[in-house]
């Protein structure tokens, strides 16, 4: 039983290019931005672009397409104008994903900035209800990402995500994206095995393991509990290989696609995505029984 492994890829040159880049690196799944992630507005996706994207995905057998929303969106904002803008922008992200035939959009829950965590969580619930009302009938689901807890970011405690999922009117429209670097930086241990199991029990007790629809595989350049979000190559950061071994061999996640968001570039003439995917597949291949 091999895990479903892939990576985030750039859409430079066209949406279909993300699929081609993923295929070239040996990915089975791909995450992408549907627009520039540091701008509010983007030209609409044309029917031709969507058709080409879907044709190339089908041709190359690329499944588990995942979108990530813009970094400008803040569903927890206490600032009314920014909050409203974020709600409309996030609804637009779901619609863009729908146009491309992508089933899930990952978002960081939000930052409470000048308010407090309690206010921020209520604000996110309110925002998601508004987004769901604005996108009635779309098959696209929102995945709340676990965060590192930098600054005033919410979502670094599993309880934050559970609270949001329990608070919205349509909880079935939400799922979770588990990011290894973020969870580790937030303070959860991912090794040794008994600590990994304790963290997964905590995740199951709060959001429930079946809610995890995507996993981001990133090592962490900073230590556990640092609350600093700095991704590193697999096995080259403070998390270490053991945690990734447990994850790729975890029976609970065999059907959950896992995406690298590790730094891009080359190492000794080889693409880093290729190297990181090989590392993960070697861990999965050893297939020692882990009960």
């Amino acid at each position: 039983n091999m895990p479903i492994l892939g990576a985030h890829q750039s859409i430079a040159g066209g949406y279909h290019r993300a699929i081609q880049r993923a295929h070239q690196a040996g990915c089975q799944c791909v995450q992408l931005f549907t627009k520039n992630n540091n701008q509010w507005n983007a030209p609409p996706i044309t029917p031709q672009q969507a058709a080409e994207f879907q044709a190339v995905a089908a041709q190359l057998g690329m499944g588990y397409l995942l979108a990530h929303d813009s970094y400008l969106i803040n569903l927890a904002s206490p600032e009314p104008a920014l909050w409203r803008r974020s709600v409309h922008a996030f609804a637009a992200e779901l619609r863009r994903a729908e146009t491309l035939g992508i089933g899930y959009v990952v978002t960081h829950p939000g930052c409470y900035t000048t308010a407090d965590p309690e206010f921020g969580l209520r604000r996110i619930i309110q925002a998601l209800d508004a987004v769901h009302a604005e996108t009635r009938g779309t098959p696209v689901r929102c995945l709340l990402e676990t965060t590192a807890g930098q600054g005033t970011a919410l979502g670094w405690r599993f309880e934050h995500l559970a609270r949001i999922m329990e608070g919205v009117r349509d909880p079935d429209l939400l799922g979770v994206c588990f990011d290894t670097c973020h969870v580790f930086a937030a303070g959860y241990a991912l090794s040794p095995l008994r600590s990994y199991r304790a963290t997964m029990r905590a995740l199951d007790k709060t959001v429930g393991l079946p809610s995890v629809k995507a996993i981001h595989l990133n090592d962490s350049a900073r230590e556990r509990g640092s609350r600093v979000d700095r991704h590193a190559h697999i096995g080259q950061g403070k998390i270490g290989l053991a945690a990734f071994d447990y994850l790729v061999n975890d029976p609970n996640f065999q059907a959950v696609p896992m995406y690298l968001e590790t730094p891009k570039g080359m190492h000794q003439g080889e693409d880093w995505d290729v190297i990181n995917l090989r590392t993960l597949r070697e861990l999965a291949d050893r297939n020692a029984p882990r009960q």
Side-chain angles (χ1 to χ4, degrees):
N1 239 5
M2 289 296 271
I4 303 154
L5 297 173
H8 184 98
Q9 298 295 346
S10 161
I11 57 167
Y15 293 101
H16 65 289
R17 292 289 292 126
I19 307 268
Q20 290 168 340
R21 289 183 179 105
H23 179 74
Q24 242 168 337
C27 298
Q28 296 154 281
C29 56
V30 63
Q31 175 182 269
L32 49 95
F33 293 111
T34 72
K35 55 191 273 298
N36 182 319
N37 58 316
N38 286 311
Q39 286 175 14
W40 283 104
N41 297 318
I45 299 166
T46 67
Q48 292 88 327
Q49 286 173 318
E52 188 172 17
F53 178 78
Q54 286 164 0
V56 173
Q59 182 201 333
L60 297 179
M62 190 64 59
Y64 307 97
L65 309 171
L66 183 67
H68 196 301
D69 73 339
S70 158
Y71 292 144
L72 300 176
I73 290 171
N74 183 8
L75 301 178
S77 178
E79 170 35 58
L82 176 60
W83 183 82
R84 269 198 308 275
R85 191 169 198 186
S86 296
V87 165
H88 297 316
F90 191 60
E93 295 268 9
L94 294 184
R95 290 292 189 208
R96 291 176 77 83
E98 183 177 9
T99 300
L100 290 170
I102 294 174
Y104 293 111
V105 178
V106 175
T107 185
H108 300 164
C111 299
Y112 58 83
T113 64
T114 57
D116 58 75
E118 184 47 44
F119 174 89
L121 289 168
R122 284 203 307 269
R123 201 77 164 140
I124 295 164
I125 290 165
Q126 212 185 341
L128 289 168
D129 281 342
V131 167
H132 289 150
E134 210 177 301
T135 57
R136 276 279 167 263
T138 176
V140 181
R141 299 279 176 272
C142 161
L143 300 185
L144 302 168
E145 184 171 347
T146 56
T147 64
Q150 280 196 175
T152 66
L154 292 160
W156 61 280
R157 303 293 311 158
F158 299 155
E159 289 79 7
H160 293 169
L161 303 184
R163 175 77 194 287
I164 295 164
M165 292 167 83
E166 283 154 17
V168 295
R169 278 196 289 272
D170 295 303
D172 343 337
L173 300 184
L174 296 179
V176 169
C177 175
F178 181 95
D179 184 303
T180 53
C181 168
H182 297 172
V183 165
F184 179 82
Y188 295 96
L190 293 171
S191 70
L193 188 54
R194 72 164 189 282
S195 304
Y196 173 84
R197 287 192 180 132
T199 293
M200 289 306 164
R201 270 198 306 275
L203 185 66
D204 194 35
K205 274 220 309 269
T206 47
V207 303
L209 293 183
S211 295
V212 178
K213 303 296 185 194
I215 294 174
H216 286 163
L217 294 179
N218 306 300
D219 211 322
S220 173
R222 297 291 300 272
E223 46 295 318
R224 180 160 73 87
S226 63
R227 309 264 301 267
V228 177
D229 179 8
R230 291 284 176 282
H231 297 187
H233 297 296
I234 304 300
Q236 311 236 328
K238 306 279 190 208
I239 298 179
L241 282 178
F244 295 100
D245 189 347
Y246 308 145
L247 252 172
V248 297
N249 291 294
D250 191 329
N252 290 308
F253 300 130
Q254 286 302 299
V256 179
M258 304 183 178
Y259 307 80
L260 290 165
E261 291 177 321
T262 42
K264 295 292 181 186
M266 304 291 280
H267 176 66
Q268 299 176 340
E270 210 176 4
D271 183 333
W272 264 115
D273 282 344
V274 172
I275 297 168
N276 285 313
L277 287 169
R278 185 168 59 234
T279 303
L280 293 165
R281 289 192 174 118
E282 281 166 3
L283 293 173
D285 210 22
R286 288 217 321 271
N287 239 344
R290 287 170 192 79
Q291 259 66 56

